[in-house]
Amino acid sequence: WGDTLVLLCALAWAVHVLLIGRFSPRCDAIELAAAQFRLDQARIGSKPQNTRVRAAIEQAKATYLQAKAQLCSTFGNIPEERLNWSPSQTARTPIQIVAHCATAVKSINAQMEGTPFHYKTTAEAETAFRKDELQFHSREQVLNYLEEVSNNYLAWLDALTPERLASIAQLPFGLGAMPVENWLPFPAHHTRHHAAQLEYIQTIYGDQDWHLG
């Protein structure tokens, strides 16, 4: 295999020399050399950038999938009779927490894509989120919703370009703006936060199982 690579490289170099000999009399030698340098620089320079972009995307995917797995694992340990139970009238039920996580990921994804957040205040956003969460009543229904949103988000990550990753997206509630790359940890952080809420609800209703398997 190594000998084959050497042979192919020698052939490629020979073709390169022949092409230079053919075209150099027809154009300015300096312009031709400059064009070769620019092409080589673009070829070499694009690799670190593409590698960095792919690394950022893979990191975002991995951290989100880990957070989602934590959420689903904790939610899976909640018994049916507690799915629509909350510790107070203003607290979310376990089903509503999972629905909220999915809606939040969908909303964050839209903002990274350039769609402005619809709500001016946190109170307006909370009211809208709560209303949306009321449509979910079963484990299967809310998990399907979470899976759909997650798949769309992961597909969006895979399609990210370096230009889009470096573009500026507006933060909600007039908090300013920042590059999309800096947004990437948000879905995972938010999901982990609410997975911890589910664990706290388990504590409140007296679940003493360690759920190790």
Side-chain angles (χ1 to χ4, degrees):
W1 175 240
D3 291 340
T4 303
L5 286 177
V6 171
L7 178 60
L8 291 174
C9 288
L11 289 173
W13 178 253
V15 171
H16 175 258
V17 171
L18 290 173
L19 290 174
I20 293 297
R22 179 184 178 93
F23 290 105
S24 57
R26 306 181 186 181
C27 61
D28 185 275
I30 295 178
E31 289 184 0
L32 181 60
Q36 292 181 81
F37 282 127
R38 285 196 297 270
L39 180 62
D40 198 47
Q41 184 179 25
R43 178 183 61 82
I44 296 173
S46 64
K47 290 182 178 179
Q49 182 187 39
N50 290 339
T51 300
R52 186 188 65 78
V53 168
R54 179 46 52 185
I57 291 171
E58 292 303 321
Q59 177 68 20
K61 289 169 62 178
T63 54
Y64 175 70
L65 287 172
Q66 184 180 36
K68 175 175 171 277
Q70 179 186 353
L71 178 75
C72 290
S73 176
T74 306
F75 185 62
N77 292 325
I78 295 177
E80 291 293 324
E81 66 271 16
R82 295 291 185 178
L83 291 178
N84 289 292
W85 176 86
S86 67
S88 70
Q89 291 184 346
T90 57
R92 284 182 167 92
T93 67
I95 280 181
Q96 289 170 349
I97 288 175
V98 176
H100 174 73
C101 287
T103 300
V105 171
K106 184 178 179 180
S107 176
I108 294 170
N109 193 176
Q111 291 172 77
M112 286 193 286
E113 187 60 25
T115 303
F117 196 54
H118 297 300
Y119 310 104
K120 301 298 184 184
T121 66
T122 56
E124 290 178 9
E126 180 69 3
T127 299
F129 282 144
R130 294 272 186 163
K131 183 178 179 180
D132 182 69
E133 294 154 15
L134 293 176
Q135 64 182 297
F136 299 97
H137 302 285
S138 71
R139 191 190 304 270
E140 180 182 11
Q141 183 189 21
V142 76
L143 286 177
N144 286 341
Y145 176 50
L146 176 64
E147 192 66 20
E148 177 187 356
V149 169
S150 297
N151 288 339
N152 290 339
Y153 173 55
L154 294 172
W156 180 82
L157 284 174
D158 279 331
L160 267 180
T161 63
E163 294 75 21
R164 186 62 201 160
L165 195 63
S167 65
I168 303 299
Q170 293 294 320
L171 292 163
F173 314 125
L175 295 176
M178 65 183 182
V180 168
E181 184 172 0
N182 292 351
W183 281 71
L184 294 184
F186 288 180
H189 289 337
H190 184 270
T191 302
R192 277 197 296 266
H193 169 76
H194 287 292
Q197 279 191 324
L198 287 180
E199 292 174 350
Y200 182 63
I201 287 179
Q202 288 176 318
T203 301
I204 292 175
Y205 66 68
D207 184 354
Q208 298 182 352
D209 194 327
W210 286 20
H211 299 291
L212 296 180

